[in-house]
């Protein structure tokens, strides 16, 4: 074995094992696992490494503020998608939700920021306030009726499964409500089963999509 040449196959394998916190070649040679066991061990180690790397990267991105990191794992699908079917309509709804979750849904506040302030951040639907995610999802007068109807359904169901006391404790301001609407994954430990989680996700996704559709309709009419 060429242990002095860092480009040798032996050194590369040693480096990969160390990178993913796997047993060394010496340890493996003394206690060789079965093929299936080794395959499972390697898969888990790689997923753990890249999950930790992903979470560290997410923490540096201000655009991912509302993304709940507790359930994120490489190889697992986010609850936004697992709560929906594979129909065209559900995929469209999920895409809007994910764009809001990752701040790639273009609001007027984004246009203003990206233009260095040359473009106005004023909401083009109502003309009363700057259009950021809180304004769009909760406060825009032009979208009020649609938002009221869909949010009432979401709020009622969430209270029915977590209780009014927990609701009052956890959802005190606009940012708490945005967190619920955009990524309710953080509620999973408080729920009895995934069915409840999926319904909350679907209600929030439907709210986002209906507000998006109403916004698009309003802007087309301008």
């Amino acid at each position: 074995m060429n242990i002095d040449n860092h480009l040798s196959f032996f050194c590369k394998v040693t480096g990969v094992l160390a990178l993913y916190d796997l047993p060394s070649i010496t340890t493996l040679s003394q206690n060789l696992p079965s093929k299936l066991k080794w395959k499972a061990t390697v898969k888990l180690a790689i997923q753990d490494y890249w999950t930790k790397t992903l979470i560290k990267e997410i923490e540096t991105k201000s655009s991912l503020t509302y993304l709940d990191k507790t359930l994120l794992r490489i190889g697992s699908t986010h609850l936004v998608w697992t709560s929906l079917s594979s129909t065209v309509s559900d995929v469209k709804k999920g895409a809007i939700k994910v764009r809001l979750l990752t701040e790639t849904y273009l609001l007027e506040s984004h246009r203003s920021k990206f233009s260095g302030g040359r473009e106005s951040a004023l909401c083009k639907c109502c003309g009363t306030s700057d259009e950021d995610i809180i304004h769009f999802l909760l406060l825009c007068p032009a979208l009020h009726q649609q938002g009221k109807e869909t949010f009432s359904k979401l709020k009622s169901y969430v209270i029915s499964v977590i209780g009014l006391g927990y609701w009052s404790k956890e959802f005190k301001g606009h940012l708490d409500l945005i967190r619920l609407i955009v990524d309710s994954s953080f509620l999973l430990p408080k729920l009895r089963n995934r069915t409840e989680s999926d319904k909350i996700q679907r209600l929030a996704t439907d709210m986002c999509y209906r507000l998006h559709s109403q916004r698009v309709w309003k802007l087309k009419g301008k």
Side-chain angles (χ1 to χ4, degrees):
M1 294 184 292
N2 188 352
I3 62 176
D4 296 321
N5 182 2
H6 70 281
L7 295 178
S8 69
F9 177 74
F10 175 80
C11 284
K12 289 182 178 180
V13 170
T14 300
V16 170
L17 292 174
L19 176 67
Y20 293 115
D21 198 25
L22 290 163
S24 66
I25 291 177
T26 302
T27 301
L28 290 170
S29 65
Q30 295 171 350
N31 185 20
L32 191 65
S34 68
K35 182 178 179 180
L36 288 177
K37 184 178 180 180
W38 178 241
K39 185 177 180 180
T41 300
V42 170
K43 181 179 179 179
L44 184 61
I46 291 173
Q47 287 179 339
D48 284 343
Y49 174 84
W50 287 109
T51 296
K52 291 175 183 176
T53 301
L54 174 64
I55 290 174
K56 286 181 181 178
E57 185 73 13
I58 286 172
E59 289 172 347
T60 68
K61 307 295 183 183
S62 61
S63 60
L64 298 176
T65 301
Y66 301 111
L67 177 65
D68 183 69
K69 300 183 287 294
T70 56
L71 298 177
L72 279 183
R73 184 166 182 80
I74 295 294
S76 298
T77 305
H78 193 279
L79 295 181
V80 168
W81 293 114
T82 58
S83 65
L84 300 172
S85 72
S86 58
T87 61
V88 173
S89 60
D90 269 10
V91 171
K92 285 182 178 179
K93 291 179 180 180
I96 296 301
K97 177 83 167 288
V98 170
R99 285 168 59 193
L100 286 164
L101 176 57
T102 56
E103 280 202 45
T104 53
Y105 186 93
L106 201 58
L107 298 167
E108 296 307 318
S109 60
H110 297 127
R111 293 183 188 276
S112 179
K113 179 181 177 181
F114 298 150
S115 69
R118 291 188 298 276
E119 292 191 34
S120 173
L122 193 66
C123 176
K124 291 182 178 178
C125 289
C126 68
T128 62
S129 302
D130 288 354
E131 186 188 43
D132 57 14
I133 193 168
I134 293 175
H135 179 83
F136 170 54
L137 292 178
L138 297 173
L139 303 177
C140 182
L143 307 177
H144 173 73
Q145 190 59 39
Q146 194 69 258
K148 180 181 178 181
E149 292 175 3
T150 52
F151 181 71
S152 292
K153 292 179 183 178
L154 173 61
K155 180 180 178 180
S156 295
Y157 183 73
V158 173
I159 289 176
S160 74
V161 295
I162 68 171
L164 182 58
Y166 186 78
W167 172 275
S168 301
K169 178 184 175 183
E170 291 296 314
F171 303 106
K172 296 179 180 179
H174 290 147
L175 290 178
D176 299 321
L177 296 177
I178 293 298
R179 185 181 175 214
L180 170 67
I181 296 166
V182 174
D183 187 5
S184 60
S185 303
F186 68 95
L187 278 179
L188 192 58
K190 301 293 182 181
L191 305 177
R192 290 168 292 189
N193 50 58
R194 279 290 296 274
T195 300
E196 292 179 344
S197 173
D198 286 348
K199 184 166 182 179
I200 292 171
Q201 288 281 357
R202 287 196 300 271
L203 286 169
T205 299
D206 186 61
M207 177 181 177
C208 293
Y209 187 74
R210 287 177 180 272
L211 286 170
H212 157 75
S213 299
Q214 185 74 359
R215 178 178 183 266
V216 170
W217 181 79
K218 291 278 186 182
L219 292 177
K220 283 183 177 179
K222 294 292 182 178

